[in-house]
Amino acid sequence: MPDIGLDAIKIDYASIADAKAMTGLRLVLGNYAVPGPWREACKGIFHVKGISYTPVVAASLDGNDQELKEWTSQSSAPVAVWNDEPPRSKWFEQLQLAERLGPNPSLIPSGIDDRMLMFGYCNEICGENGYAWSKRLMMIDSVLQNPATDEGTKAFWTGFGEKYGYSAEAAAAAPARMAAVVESLAKRLEQQKETGSKFLVGNKLSGLDIYWATFAALIKPLPEDLCPMATGFRAFYNTDEPAVLNVLTPELLEHRDFVYENYLELPIVF
């Protein structure tokens, strides 16, 4: 098991058993000091809308949390649970739930062209075989291909790799897939600035801005004073792949900072 920085935990988490008996919004987030991008995006969306929630612990990182499986029929976090409605473990389900519970400010564009554009880009960032999925494959590969990795650590990452369809071939293709998304986002941001917009879609904050800001941690996490993450994971999150770094623009990181400074919580709290 990697060091997950338990000393940095500041959030008071409810147990799954207690959360099941509650009403209202509960977010299963896990209690580890790592800025998991799906987790931070989910938190950020409800924060922007001013929707309060009860944070809930998930007991493991390896998909073996039986309580979570029994409650949500799957083994990943984050999960959003509203009253007695079915648990929502997918990013787009969580965004749609937030939009329903807090219509203002809207994070989904009203115009169909911008809406399709936003969801398309978000899927490339958050979805299967997209930007973050590819980064996970690269992280897994860096551990499993390291001859210094001990057997316990290798077993953990092998199990983690099964969730992402890991193979050496998939990991080899991952940097190019990740770079393609970053390059497209950089071009998109440049086009928007030419129109006078500060945002990736339209003229106001959307889910896409939040997903980029939170998922940018997979290339370069915010500094320690703003993101006091588990020390052992910071090197994992920093990307040194030339294919990705060659297309990462200063403007994309500036946009991450703009979104955090104006809309999200700083420092990040785990």
Side-chain angles (χ1 to χ4, degrees):
M1 171 71 73
D3 171 18
I4 56 177
L6 293 178
D7 291 343
I9 300 300
K10 304 298 182 185
I11 295 176
D12 184 17
Y13 289 90
S15 69
I16 288 179
D18 288 342
K20 288 171 70 175
M22 297 176 181
T23 57
L25 181 63
R26 291 140 290 165
L27 298 184
V28 182
L29 299 172
N31 64 334
Y32 43 90
V34 181
W38 285 276
R39 159 205 166 103
E40 294 305 318
C42 183
K43 286 168 53 185
I45 285 164
F46 287 103
H47 171 75
V48 166
K49 289 179 170 289
I51 300 171
S52 61
Y53 60 86
T54 298
V56 182
V57 66
S60 70
L61 293 173
D62 57 7
N64 293 319
D65 190 326
Q66 191 58 39
E67 273 193 308
L68 181 61
K69 289 181 180 179
E70 290 175 358
W71 190 25
T72 69
S73 300
Q74 56 87 59
S75 60
S76 295
V79 186
V81 185
W82 171 248
N83 289 335
D84 58 355
E85 294 181 6
R88 292 166 168 85
S89 60
K90 304 298 184 183
W91 65 266
F92 50 86
E93 298 174 327
Q94 294 158 7
L95 177 58
Q96 295 281 12
L97 174 64
E99 199 76 354
R100 173 161 64 88
L101 298 182
N104 294 304
S106 176
L107 295 175
I108 298 177
S110 58
I112 187 167
D113 291 339
D114 281 348
R115 191 163 64 247
M116 292 173 67
L117 187 67
M118 189 207 76
F119 275 109
Y121 268 109
C122 288
N123 188 62
E124 289 298 316
I125 293 172
C126 310
E128 189 167 339
N129 292 317
Y131 161 96
W133 187 285
S134 298
K135 172 62 175 182
R136 288 278 170 90
L137 290 173
M138 293 156 61
M139 294 167 67
I140 295 161
D141 189 67
S142 70
V143 177
L144 297 184
Q145 299 302 324
N146 185 345
T149 302
D150 63 74
E151 290 304 312
T153 302
K154 185 173 288 188
F156 171 85
W157 286 95
T158 297
F160 196 55
E162 290 174 359
K163 294 180 66 174
Y164 291 90
Y166 168 78
S167 68
E169 295 75 17
R177 294 185 67 90
M178 190 176 181
V181 177
V182 174
E183 183 175 25
S184 185
L185 284 168
K187 291 178 179 177
R188 176 68 192 167
L189 186 59
E190 182 178 1
Q191 292 168 356
Q192 284 290 96
K193 288 194 172 183
E194 289 174 356
T195 69
S197 175
K198 297 180 179 180
F199 305 99
L200 283 163
V201 175
N203 291 305
K204 64 177 184 176
L205 185 78
S206 77
L208 179 56
D209 297 296
I210 295 174
Y211 285 114
W212 164 246
T214 51
F215 279 67
L218 294 177
I219 298 178
K220 186 177 178 63
L222 290 165
E224 180 69 20
D225 61 325
L226 299 179
C227 181
M229 64 191 291
T231 304
F233 270 83
R234 188 166 286 275
F236 266 155
Y237 272 55
N238 272 291
T239 294
D240 58 6
E241 284 287 344
V244 177
L245 296 181
N246 287 343
V247 295
L248 177 67
T249 63
E251 289 78 11
L252 277 175
L253 293 180
E254 290 168 6
H255 189 65
R256 172 202 64 185
D257 296 345
F258 164 74
V259 174
Y260 264 104
E261 290 167 3
N262 290 279
Y263 300 101
L264 302 179
E265 294 179 282
L266 285 176
I268 296 174
V269 179
F270 302 104

